[in-house]
Amino acid sequence: MIKVENLTKSYAGFTAINDLSFQVAKGEIVGFLGPNGAGKSTTMRILSSFMPATSGRALINGFDVFRQADQARQSIGYMPENVPLYPDMRVGEYLSYRAALKGVKGRKQKARVLDVIERCSLGDVRRKLIGTLSKGYRQRVGLADALVHEPELLILDEPTIGLDPNQIRQVRELIKGLGKHHTILLSTHILPEVEMTCNRVIIINKGKIEASDTPANLLSQLRGVGGVRLEAQPGLDNGREWLEKVTGVREVTETVEGDWKLYQLRIETGADPREEIYRLAAQRRWALRELTRQRATLEDVFIEVTQSDV
Amino acid sequence: MSKFLTLLGREIKSYFYSPIAYVVLTFFLLITGFNFYVCVSLLNQGPTGVTVLEAFFNTVTFWWSFVLIFPLITMRTFSEEFKMGTVEPLMTAPVGDWQVVLAKFFGALFFYVVLWLPSLAYFWLFQKITLAEAAYAPGAFGGSYLLLLLLGMFYLSIGCFASVLTSNQIIAAVICFCAVTLTFFSGLLWMFMSSSFSGATRDLMAQVSAIEHMMNFSRGVVDTRPIAFYLSMTCLMLFFTHKVFESRKWRA
């Protein structure tokens, strides 16, 4: 569906993306992650044929986004960052206009507009001026616009930015639902969102791809990042020394919290020392009130990957 | 073609959605009405060699209001899209650069034509009430309005070009105003300073002088040279506009 080969975009004195190559297969929901200024929006703008790359090429559905822009654009529904809209148009009118621009005409147009209004829950504001809408509604108008010509591919640049938690959940559900019929490439820096919606994650930093895999695989590679948290009263024992002897424990940090001591354990990849710690505590008669495994989140992956060169 | 019409429809609507349209229409009516009143009272003072139509299109009031309307009509065409970022959804829809440029130009032209329509009523009323002829011949009428249209096309294309250069409407308006004023009033230079120029320069300035053209056309002397001049200049400016609009692809 998307095929990107050696894509580079440089502005005067600054390279936004550098030799980027990746592919997105039909039906995938791919999350595009990266810190601010990593080149996410630039990549998406090139893919939506808003601007050309300096070198390299990108194919959408087999069409070159620069040379065959019309055909490529026809198969993309693009929602730009911050969703620029005409404030002087009404929601329904705007969607009909956009549908006509994308070649959806006549009776079909009416049906399509009604359908996207329904799907993006815009019924209440259909006759309102876009300029008077709240951020959440504007975002949904942008999404409805991206959907109106039934594109095979959706490119969504930060679809949930600036929304409140309820709206984020709604948009997320909507995107998940869309994933059944569309290929989706979405950028975000809300990480739990990616874990919940995407089949695959591409992390880019400074214009280069740092990681590209399923969320589960990325996490499993980084299991060592997780750890074990322990809150205990080791009495007269030196808890840290004892804990360091447990197999699989790499590093122990101790903090005192009143009568209790808090231990943060970094563990080796694949190890789970909890059982042994429990036995140790029982044997040494420590009081124990917390023993938890901390899972690595995509956030850890993100930090590990994007800060590795610092 | 249908996409061009969709874009054109949006352009025309956007003029009438904004209060600017009504402010410009109202004040333009006021000024042209005042101008017409002055012309009629001038004719009342005694026999003159000009018709009311000729007088109407050759006063300072007319020139003033005429050069002022172009920046007002065209300044928002491209600048606003750049400023609001709406150029991004627009140019990621399957439409071509030329379609957008032409839609913006013809949208502006439509508004310009609407602006001039009420003035037809002036001459009609004049003939009804005074039973005198507003113009010597139908040719003078046709000539005046034809030249208005041609001049309008040329200056609107200058305005579109100014607007595509910047995302700031004020800057677009200033560029357009300066360019239109310079081209329009270059004819004055020819009139007042003809002795200080050599023959060839003088001839050239006479050929491009809008004021000179207006004098001839409102007398019914329809010359094909200005027609060719304005049409080709319009095409040239629209070509430049298209090139600059396209240049966003390689500039940044």
Side-chain angles (χ1 to χ4, degrees):
Chain A
M1 196 72 216
I2 305 181
K3 199 172 176 189
V4 173
E5 287 167 358
N6 311 99
L7 210 61
T8 299
K9 174 80 187 175
S10 34
Y11 300 102
F14 155 74
T15 307
I17 55 173
N18 190 0
D19 203 21
L20 215 61
S21 301
F22 65 89
Q23 291 196 13
V24 176
K26 208 175 162 83
E28 271 189 302
I29 306 185
V30 175
F32 210 41
L33 296 183
N36 287 324
K40 288 175 299 200
S41 289
T42 305
T43 312
M44 292 186 143
R45 282 178 158 182
I46 293 170
L47 287 178
S48 60
S49 90
F50 179 61
M51 55 188 194
T54 310
S55 66
R57 63 179 194 151
L59 301 177
I60 301 283
N61 228 354
F63 297 112
D64 187 297
V65 293
F66 186 57
R67 282 184 196 81
Q68 294 155 303
D70 262 20
Q71 291 100 313
R73 287 173 184 180
Q74 195 66 52
S75 38
I76 299 175
Y78 173 54
M79 176 174 154
E81 205 179 346
N82 300 324
V83 202
L85 301 166
Y86 296 116
D88 55 0
M89 287 179 113
R90 290 175 198 281
V91 173
E93 179 195 17
Y94 178 73
L95 292 174
S96 307
Y97 160 73
R98 294 291 297 177
L101 270 194
K102 295 170 180 180
V104 183
K105 282 180 260 183
R107 210 180 270 172
K108 181 135 190 266
Q109 184 189 98
K110 242 183 187 167
R112 287 301 307 149
V113 170
L114 282 178
D115 179 50
V116 291
I117 283 178
E118 163 97 36
R119 268 207 275 177
C120 301
S121 342
L122 288 165
D124 305 339
V125 296
R126 223 178 123 188
R127 288 175 213 289
K128 274 200 172 178
L129 282 176
I130 290 172
T132 65
L133 296 183
S134 68
K135 178 95 183 157
Y137 273 118
R138 290 173 56 92
Q139 212 83 5
R140 279 188 259 166
V141 173
L143 198 56
D145 168 24
L147 285 171
V148 78
H149 58 304
E150 292 185 290
E152 288 169 72
L153 171 68
L154 286 172
I155 296 181
L156 311 172
D157 200 351
E158 312 235 346
T160 53
I161 198 171
L163 299 183
D164 69 39
N166 286 327
Q167 293 168 330
I168 289 181
R169 182 174 295 173
Q170 283 172 16
V171 171
R172 195 190 293 143
E173 288 307 313
L174 188 59
I175 291 172
K176 254 188 169 168
L178 293 172
K180 288 171 198 138
H181 305 285
H182 304 263
T183 308
I184 302 178
L185 177 68
L186 67 96
S187 80
T188 176
H189 32 230
I190 303 169
L191 296 154
E193 191 174 304
V194 178
E195 279 184 271
M196 276 180 259
T197 45
C198 301
N199 322 124
R200 191 150 68 89
V201 183
I202 296 174
I203 300 181
I204 72 168
N205 188 28
K206 293 181 185 153
K208 283 190 174 250
I209 293 183
E210 300 281 1
S212 165
D213 214 329
T214 62
N217 281 349
L218 283 176
L219 290 177
S220 66
Q221 284 165 19
L222 277 189
R223 204 171 286 153
V225 170
V228 169
R229 200 181 126 101
L230 176 73
E231 217 178 328
Q233 272 180 340
L236 296 171
D237 286 345
N238 183 340
R240 231 184 75 185
E241 270 178 21
W242 280 99
L243 286 170
E244 272 168 353
K245 285 178 200 151
V246 175
T247 37
V249 175
R250 265 205 296 190
E251 203 185 312
V252 181
T253 40
E254 184 187 75
T255 33
V256 181
E257 259 189 14
D259 295 339
W260 293 84
K261 281 181 179 163
L262 194 67
Y263 297 97
Q264 193 70 47
L265 277 58
R266 285 192 61 180
I267 56 174
E268 270 153 28
T269 309
D272 188 352
R274 279 177 300 178
E275 207 181 327
E276 212 181 321
I277 292 170
Y278 166 73
R279 272 195 238 110
L280 172 78
Q283 184 200 336
R284 302 293 307 169
R285 296 184 175 282
W286 299 351
L288 188 66
R289 69 173 186 190
E290 188 183 341
L291 178 58
T292 25
R293 174 95 157 83
Q294 288 175 314
R295 273 176 201 293
T297 60
L298 213 50
E299 199 169 318
D300 300 312
V301 178
F302 183 79
I303 290 167
E304 173 99 357
V305 162
T306 56
Q307 292 191 335
S308 51
D309 48 22
V310 172
Chain B
M1 193 62 191
S2 77
K3 281 177 190 170
F4 167 74
L5 291 178
T6 307
L7 287 165
L8 181 64
R10 148 79 201 152
E11 283 306 312
I12 291 172
K13 274 194 223 161
S14 78
Y15 276 105
F16 294 96
Y17 282 164
S18 82
I20 304 173
Y22 300 98
V23 175
V24 173
L25 275 167
T26 310
F27 282 91
F28 193 67
L29 265 182
L30 270 178
I31 293 181
T32 50
F34 169 75
N35 185 27
F36 189 71
Y37 175 80
V38 170
C39 293
V40 173
S41 25
L42 199 81
L43 293 181
N44 259 338
Q45 283 170 1
T48 48
V50 294
T51 62
V52 68
L53 180 85
E54 238 186 294
F56 182 80
F57 286 119
N58 292 293
T59 63
V60 179
T61 327
F62 164 75
W63 296 342
W64 251 112
S65 52
F66 191 64
V67 293
L68 264 176
I69 54 174
F70 295 105
L72 294 177
I73 296 177
T74 55
M75 63 184 192
R76 45 165 292 287
T77 46
F78 289 95
S79 304
E80 201 175 29
E81 302 258 8
F82 294 146
K83 189 94 180 183
M84 292 198 306
T86 45
V87 65
E88 201 170 335
L90 179 64
M91 294 325 293
T92 48
V95 295
D97 290 3
W98 263 119
Q99 284 172 322
V100 173
V101 170
L102 289 179
K104 296 224 172 261
F105 171 73
F106 282 106
L109 191 63
F110 181 87
F111 183 71
Y112 174 78
V113 169
V114 170
L115 208 57
W116 276 111
L117 283 181
S119 71
L120 287 170
Y122 299 167
F123 302 107
W124 182 74
L125 281 173
F126 180 84
Q127 279 180 331
K128 274 269 174 215
I129 294 167
T130 65
L131 299 173
E133 288 295 315
Y136 289 130
F141 246 122
S144 304
Y145 279 90
L146 174 66
L147 188 67
L148 269 189
L149 185 69
L150 289 168
L151 276 173
M153 287 168 79
F154 177 34
Y155 294 149
L156 289 172
S157 64
I158 291 180
C160 286
F161 177 67
S163 188
V164 83
L165 292 174
T166 168
S167 61
N168 185 321
Q169 292 195 35
I170 307 291
I171 295 178
V174 171
I175 295 174
C176 173
F177 179 69
C178 290
V180 169
T181 306
L182 282 176
T183 39
F184 188 77
F185 287 109
S186 62
L188 278 187
L189 208 64
W190 169 74
M191 278 186 203
F192 298 136
M193 300 167 68
S194 51
S195 56
S196 57
F197 290 114
S198 67
T201 322
R202 213 164 58 208
D203 283 350
L204 181 74
M205 291 189 89
Q207 292 303 326
V208 302
S209 164
I211 291 171
E212 179 77 4
H213 296 154
M214 193 39 116
M215 279 179 180
N216 292 333
F217 276 63
S218 63
R219 234 179 269 141
V221 185
V222 176
D223 190 347
T224 50
R225 284 171 303 173
I227 298 179
F229 173 67
Y230 289 122
L231 284 180
S232 49
M233 287 305 278
T234 304
C235 293
L236 182 69
M237 290 316 291
L238 287 178
F239 173 74
F240 287 154
T241 308
H242 173 247
K243 282 293 151 203
V244 174
F245 190 49
E246 210 178 28
S247 78
R248 73 181 188 285
K249 290 180 183 164
W250 50 261
R251 261 187 304 151

